[in-house]
Amino acid sequence: MTRPAHRLTVIALALAASLAAMLTAAPAEAGAHAPRKPASHLVGTWTTASDRLMTAIGGQTVRMIVHASIGGAGVRIRLSNVFGAAPVTFKSVHVGIQAYGAEILTDTNQPVTFGGHKSVTVPRGRAAWSDPLPGKISGGQNVVVSLYVPANVQGVTGHDRAYATTFLSEPGDYAADETADGFSYTSNQWYFLDRIAVEAAPAVGSVVAFGDSLTDGTGQNNDANRRWTDYLYHRLVRLSAPRRMGVLNAGIAGNRILHSNVGPSGLGRFYRDALSQPGVRTVVIYEGINDISRGYYTSAKPLIYAYRKMIKLAHSRKLRVIGGTLTPFYGFGTWTEEREEIRQQVNRWIRTSGAFDGVADFDKALRDPEIPEQLAPAYDHGDHLHMSDAGRRQLAYAIDLRQL
């Protein structure tokens, strides 16, 4: 014989059934029980592509100036020892805003922590993100990062052609000092620092420019911030706030896609330097001219294979990829008719294959209309390969912002 249900159990079952019917019959009030969307996320505002530098640093402070793109709060920096041979300790790290040269605006130089600690040891082959800093930085500001490296480091992870002045101190820790008094030497390299990111609205992302010296900025004056990526930022900053993007320059002068020569090969560094950037939405690939001008290929097939592989990697992470056509180099020392034909093959494929999500026709934008194998004189820096300031600006304006 079945045992009668307890009266409270019957009431509970009835209430549950009534509630289920209400939820089925009428949708919940918007947002009442929906999972909360993040109010912000981390977006890159500056980066550089690193390599192993044949230099030594130790017992001194390094003060670097980098140009931020997008602004925001919660500034974080990343220190890299990816190419190091041993762990590197940073005893004191500060971030401020540049006044002039190595001088920092008063009361802007803040100590940086890593997991709550004022110092950090980064193992060989690794990188370390800092904790977020209070306050905000504005887009277009020159951010100053000061690192005290107490022990001697041979084989520094860094970027060789910064086209920016880095200040090196006498022996000692000057990271917290806002004056330039302790800094006696300069270089044109960046050391250890490879990324800066800020908190931004969920709709805001970053675009990575992946390339060689034409992206790295060869031809510009030191501290000019006239890479084509800087000009792209000038275009993006005019848009409404939700449409702005961080602009990240991942160029290495002399780099090739298929071979490690100056820096790791493009294929080898594509994930680290492009796909793993915080907040990345789009990658512009503008690389391959060094493979052609310094290689011994008989067709475009090896480069096309590499492009397809990079596109597949980006698409697997749901990122957009824009293909930049390769610009002319007639008159440069390594130009030949055979190499010109390969460049034309590559460009035809970029334009017509449909493999990319969009095309930036840099070749069309910069070539001489009367002699299309060469750069237009106004866009030629003088060596018939690298661009003048006007040429780098023209690259930025060849990009359809709607594709980003």
Side-chain angles (χ1 to χ4, degrees):
M1 182 175 179
T2 305
R3 183 177 179 182
H6 194 280
R7 183 170 179 269
L8 290 176
T9 304
V10 173
I11 293 171
L13 289 170
L15 286 172
S18 175
L19 179 59
M22 289 172 61
L23 291 173
T24 303
E29 184 179 342
H33 297 287
R36 290 185 178 181
K37 293 183 179 180
S40 63
H41 70 143
L42 205 61
V43 174
T45 184
W46 176 87
T47 197
T48 192
S50 295
D51 192 11
R52 189 173 190 268
L53 303 181
M54 301 306 293
T55 189
I57 289 176
Q60 63 191 138
T61 305
V62 177
R63 177 161 288 178
M64 295 165 286
I65 289 83
V66 299
H67 197 61
S69 57
I70 196 167
V75 177
R76 297 171 185 253
I77 68 170
R78 195 176 87 152
L79 302 181
S80 177
N81 190 28
V82 167
F83 296 95
V88 177
T89 295
F90 303 95
K91 195 72 174 178
S92 174
V93 181
H94 280 67
V95 171
I97 302 300
Q98 185 187 33
Y100 177 79
E103 294 184 15
I104 297 173
L105 286 177
T106 303
D107 297 330
T108 67
N109 202 26
Q110 300 184 64
V112 177
T113 59
F114 297 80
H117 301 285
K118 293 182 178 179
S119 66
V120 62
T121 298
V122 183
R124 64 187 295 260
R126 302 291 295 276
W129 278 102
S130 74
D131 301 326
L133 285 168
K136 296 182 178 181
I137 61 169
S138 300
Q141 280 189 317
N142 283 339
V143 178
V144 183
V145 179
S146 304
L147 315 171
Y148 173 52
V149 187
N152 188 60
V153 179
Q154 297 281 346
V156 172
T157 296
H159 188 85
D160 188 37
R161 301 186 189 181
Y163 304 104
T165 303
T166 289
F167 300 89
L168 301 164
S169 79
E170 301 284 350
D173 180 2
Y174 296 88
D177 192 347
E178 293 183 332
T179 74
D181 294 346
F183 296 89
S184 304
Y185 312 99
T186 62
S187 86
N188 292 320
Q189 297 173 319
W190 286 314
Y191 307 111
F192 305 111
L193 177 71
D194 74 343
R195 294 182 185 180
I196 300 180
V198 296
E199 293 289 340
V204 176
S206 60
V207 54
V208 177
F210 189 82
D212 47 41
S213 60
L214 303 179
T215 293
D216 204 6
T218 297
Q220 68 172 327
N221 292 331
N222 220 36
D223 302 316
N225 293 316
R226 291 178 179 172
R227 305 163 188 85
W228 74 258
T229 50
D230 294 309
Y231 290 112
L232 179 61
Y233 162 72
H234 294 162
R235 293 186 67 197
L236 289 168
V237 78
R238 301 190 192 108
L239 302 178
S240 61
R243 296 182 60 201
R244 294 174 192 167
M245 303 181 77
V247 181
L248 307 177
N249 188 310
I252 296 180
N255 198 231
R256 299 191 205 181
I257 293 177
L258 292 165
H259 293 286
S260 296
N261 181 31
V262 180
S265 70
L267 276 176
R269 69 186 184 91
F270 189 59
Y271 174 81
R272 180 182 63 250
D273 290 346
L275 305 187
S276 68
Q277 294 285 351
V280 60
R281 301 282 171 81
T282 304
V283 181
V284 179
I285 299 176
Y286 174 39
E287 185 165 16
I289 201 67
N290 289 327
D291 296 80
I292 295 172
S293 70
R294 302 177 185 180
Y296 298 95
Y297 302 108
T298 58
S299 78
K301 288 182 179 179
L303 275 171
I304 290 171
Y305 165 80
Y307 291 135
R308 287 193 182 278
K309 190 168 184 179
M310 289 191 285
I311 292 167
K312 184 177 180 180
L313 287 169
H315 284 172
S316 71
R317 298 177 67 85
K318 303 186 185 308
L319 303 179
R320 291 178 56 78
V321 192
I322 308 299
T325 54
L326 302 182
T327 40
F329 70 111
Y330 175 79
F332 191 68
T334 60
W335 186 93
T336 65
E337 290 183 358
E338 293 75 17
R339 287 168 173 166
E340 175 64 20
E341 176 56 31
I342 294 174
R343 185 182 75 90
Q344 296 291 351
Q345 290 174 17
V346 168
N347 285 350
R348 281 195 295 271
W349 182 83
I350 290 173
R351 292 184 182 111
T352 65
S353 67
F356 289 98
D357 300 300
V359 174
D361 203 340
F362 295 147
D363 171 47
K364 182 179 178 181
L366 272 72
R367 69 194 181 200
D368 188 330
E370 296 184 4
I371 311 174
E373 296 85 7
Q374 72 179 20
L375 291 168
Y379 302 144
D380 190 343
H381 177 62
D383 64 2
H384 311 299
L385 171 66
H386 298 99
M387 288 93 193
S388 63
D389 285 349
R392 289 188 297 277
R393 184 178 185 277
Q394 186 75 353
L395 286 177
Y397 278 82
I399 291 181
D400 184 346
L401 299 184
R402 295 170 298 181
Q403 293 185 349
L404 300 182

